[in-house]
Each structure stands twice: as C-alpha cells, then as structure tokens.
Amino acid sequence: MFVYRVNMKRWTNMTAAFRIFIFCAIFINVNCQKEEEEFICPGGTQGNGNFADPATCRRFYQCVDGFPYLNRCPSGLYFDDISKFCTFKAEARCGPIPTTVAPVTEIPQDIVTNCDPSECQLPYCFCSKDGTLIPGGLTPQMIMLTFDGAVNLNNFDLYKKVFNGKLRNPNGCPIRGTFFLSHEYSNYVMVQSLAHDGHEIATGTISQQQGLQDKGYEEWAGEIIGMREILNKFANISRSEVVGTRAPFLKPGRNTQFKVLEDFGYIYDSSIGVPPLPQPVWPYTLDYKIPHECKSGTCPTKAFPGLWEVPFNAHYVESYEGGHCPYLDQCVLHNHDADDVLEWLQEDFTRHYEQNRAPYMMPFHTNWFQIKPLERGLHKFLNWAANLDDVWFVTMTQSLTWMTDPRSVKSLNNYEPWKCDKKEGPKPCNLSNKCALPFKLPETNFTDTRYMETCVDCPKQYPWLGDSGGTGIAGTDNYIPESLSRK
C-alpha cells in the first residue's frame, strides 16, 4: 500500500478547486469529473429568447416560457451572444456575455429628429412613428430575394435554379433578385449574365473587411465606390445602374458610410437590422431618426434626406423555433425537412402578408443552398407564393420605385417599372478571358495568384483597394464626389 504524505498547512491554504484536482490525481479510482450543469433560463422578461451555451460556442439554448431547448448551429457557424444568432466564426462573440446597463451618455449634437409626417411627403421622403405605416391603399405583397457575397462556380448554378424562368409574376415576367456583390473570387462573366437577365446588381465591398464600421471616409469610398468601378470595368455594368449597397456583416458605418452614399449618388442602403417585432417595418428615407432600435449600434445619427434604407426585418416564428435571424441561413433550420422549412417560411411570411404587407426580404448567403432540405423547402415556398395573385417578386429598386408612387394591385399588370420587355444589360460573351493575376495585400510581402474570369481584357494585376482597374499602380483610385469635382 502506498502512503502519501501531505503538508497539511499548505493543503489548507490551497483553493478548493486545486485541492480537488490534487485529490483526484492521487486517488485515481475516484470519479471527480464535473457533470455539465443544467442550464436555467434567465427569469423575468428575459426568460424567452436565445442564450449562449456556457460549454461551447457551437450551441445555444432557446428558452420558451422558461424552458431551455438545446440547439446546435449549422455546420461552420458559431453562436454570437450579442446578435443572438449563428454566424461565421470570425464574427461570433462567444458567450455567455453578461448584460450590463448602458452608461448614461450625452445625446450627440448631430442627432436627427423624429418623423414629422406633415413635412415628409412622397416621392422624396417617407417615414412613420414606428416604421409600420403602409404607403399605399390596396398594397401588393412584395418579396425581395437578395444574395450576398461573390458569385462563382460554388453558387451560380444554384442561383439559376431559383431563377429558371418557370416562376413568374402576375404580369407574366420572370421573377428577379438583387445581388450584393463582393469582389474576391467573383466571376464577372457570371455577374454580367445575371445583369443581362434583369437581376439588380448592387455593391457589397471589395474586401469584406471586418471593422469597416469604424473606418473613415476614404476607406468607405474605396470599398463601395471601388466595387462599383470593378463591376463597371469587368462586368460591363453601367455605374448608373448600381444604386444600392450593403455593409459587411450588417454593420453600417455610422454617418461616414451614408455620407459616401449621398456624395456618390446612391439611392439606398440595406444594412440596418430590426429586432423581432410584432409588425414588420417598411423601408424609409433617412430624413429623420430611424423608427426602431439600432441593433448594430452603428446607425447614422445625421439626416441624409432622400436616401432610402431597406431594413432587415428579423425572421422568426411565434414559437421562436429556429431562433430569429436577419439572414435566413442564420436561423437554425438544418434539422428540418423540406416541408418543415416550407411551413416555417410560410409562418414568417404571413406576419407581413396578413398585417401591413411590408416588403418580405429573403436574404441569403450561399450556405442555405448547400443544405438540400433548406434548398428544397425554399423552392416549395417560392412555388406556393408565386401562385398568390397579389404577390410580386421584385428587386430592391423596383420596390422603392413603387413606394415613391404607390399603385393599387389591380393596376400593376401594366405598371411600367415592373415590366420585362425593356432591353436588359450587356449580353454575356461567348469567349471569356480567364485571368491568372498576381495579388499582394498591401500589409504583406507575400505575392499570391488570384483567378478572375471576365468578358474584357485581363488587367495587369488583381484589382483591389486603391487599384480597382488592376493597373498594378497602388493608389491609382482617387474618389472625389461629383459635387466637389464640378467646383
């Protein structure tokens, strides 16, 4: 028998946890493994909602009436305990993160005023006290399909299955979507093809960098206007056709981003998230204070008259099954079959359709289409919705065009902005150029190779921030607003 001598004075002074560790290490037959603690939903008004799993960032608890249901994020995603949904690892802030009362701060001097309906009149201004006001009478239910990120071989055929020409609006036109393009890995032959088919092309940013919300005017102009220049040079899309943008990770750049949009003639932004509300919020102009909570904390505090915001209404169902999310692929539906997904989308949609008919935006990343039950469930939903007589699938710009001059449902079959007989963008090319281009990030000494396909001649270098034309000369781009260049 082994005898272990322990200095009792030192033993007494040890922390309890360390003493248990020593005890377990000595008496190896004793089972000292700590059992996972039972999760208890927060009390009071916070007893419902999504809460971080203390054990891992890959899971979270969904509390319904005080009872916790354990959920796992889809493959490759992690639970963000601030935004309360699953997102990419680089964006996720793992919890539990303790909630604290926000400190009292002085009101910014440039804060905008609340909506004044007597001063805010269409077509140049639209606002309401809580954002739920309907701008017209017999309102159509608009659905906006939007897609973020690069377009390439990973998703082009999946997107084409959605827009296969079989689903049509009541006027006979094929349904269309809006693509918020980021640059890296985009195939500009495919982008040009989408534009030719009548889809709206809008800008994300060139680099999709994190922390852009805290950067200055030059950085925002370089990212957004640089992306518009790339679309013009390598996808043959007219600058005047690119009128909308979306900030990376739905983190708008406070007043700076919106000043850039104002200076360079953009019509709308679509970056501001709305928390789960009983009634959805309509798009609004930024003449006044935004009519809902700013989820990101980086919304504008100045007025930008006439610039539209198309907000992200939260997606959720009454039971909060799957949680709530801005992007549909961030709700936890990966364990559902196609019929379950159809029912979930129908309930989410009905909150718009049976109430104030705010446009139902369906925003996606490629992730959604890589999970077959989700993809099949979406196609079931689209087929179901397309058979409703007063439902129209429109682009972002088409929805805002209607809002500036609302028309009744009965007149929409002859509504010119929603027709499809007008000439579309430049035709896709038969022979494209597949470019292998040197690429060097400014902050590194390492030169890599990036591949880019385009219908125009290959540039000398992979286009990037400061050199959207790929000339190989860093800092070539110098974005000066049109209003200043004419002075």
Side-chain angles (χ1 to χ4, degrees), residues 181-183 203-209 212 223-224 227 246 248:
L181 266 294
S182 59
H183 169 56
T203 52
T205 58
I206 290 179
S207 72
Q208 289 293 92
Q209 64 170 290
L212 186 59
E223 289 279 9
I224 295 175
M227 188 65 228
R246 182 167 286 166

Side-chain angles (χ1 to χ4, degrees), residues 176-177 193-201 395 398 422 424-425:
R176 290 164 176 165
S193 175
L194 290 171
H196 174 262
D197 290 342
H199 301 291
E200 180 175 353
I201 305 299
T395 66
Q398 285 179 323
K422 64 187 178 82
E424 305 299 353

Side-chain angles (χ1 to χ4, degrees), residues 11-12 26 48 51 56-57 73 104 125 145 170 185 197 204 217 236 243 288 369 371-373 379 456 460-461 470:
W11 175 266
T12 304
I26 294 173
N48 291 307
F51 301 93
T56 173
C57 199
C73 287
V104 177
C125 178
L145 297 167
Y185 306 114
D197 290 342
Y217 187 96
N236 291 307
V243 296
Y288 296 94
F369 300 90
I371 301 174
K372 289 305 173 186
H379 284 285
V456 302
K460 293 181 179 179
Q461 190 165 301

Side-chain angles (χ1 to χ4, degrees), residues 87-284:
T87 185
F88 299 106
K89 186 175 183 180
E91 304 171 38
R93 291 155 291 187
C94 290
I97 297 174
T99 56
T100 56
V101 178
V104 177
T105 56
E106 293 184 6
I107 298 176
Q109 295 300 311
D110 56 7
I111 196 166
V112 289
T113 58
N114 292 325
C115 170
D116 183 354
S118 65
E119 295 291 331
C120 185
Q121 300 291 324
L122 289 170
Y124 305 109
C125 178
F126 182 72
C127 71
S128 64
K129 181 178 179 182
D130 60 359
T132 63
L133 180 68
I134 302 171
L138 296 174
T139 305
Q141 177 61 66
M142 293 177 278
I143 296 179
M144 302 178 296
L145 297 167
T146 76
F147 308 85
D148 282 27
V151 169
N152 50 42
L153 289 171
N154 290 332
N155 51 33
F156 184 68
D157 288 340
L158 298 172
Y159 294 158
K160 294 289 280 186
K161 285 172 64 178
V162 174
F163 304 106
N164 58 13
K166 295 180 181 179
L167 295 180
R168 294 182 174 267
N169 281 318
N171 64 356
C173 290
I175 69 171
R176 290 164 176 165
T178 304
F179 291 81
F180 291 89
L181 266 294
S182 59
H183 169 56
E184 196 166 12
Y185 306 114
S186 270
N187 181 314
Y188 291 102
V189 175
M190 295 176 179
V191 174
Q192 187 167 323
S193 175
L194 290 171
H196 174 262
D197 290 342
H199 301 291
E200 180 175 353
I201 305 299
T203 52
T205 58
I206 290 179
S207 72
Q208 289 293 92
Q209 64 170 290
Q210 296 222 33
L212 186 59
Q213 69 272 15
D214 298 319
K215 299 293 180 66
Y217 187 96
E218 290 184 1
E219 287 86 354
W220 274 102
E223 289 279 9
I224 295 175
I225 311 306
M227 188 65 228
R228 186 168 70 175
E229 289 299 308
I230 289 173
L231 290 169
N232 174 248
K233 292 170 183 172
F234 299 108
N236 291 307
I237 298 172
S238 170
R239 296 179 185 90
S240 63
E241 294 292 318
V242 182
V243 296
T245 196
R246 182 167 286 166
F249 316 116
L250 302 188
K251 293 181 180 178
R254 300 182 173 87
N255 295 323
T256 305
Q257 175 200 348
F258 294 88
K259 179 61 176 169
V260 170
L261 300 183
E262 182 181 62
D263 287 347
F264 286 90
Y266 274 67
I267 291 175
Y268 71 88
D269 169 76
S270 182
S271 308
I272 297 179
V274 181
L277 297 174
Q279 280 201 74
V281 171
W282 275 83
Y284 49 84

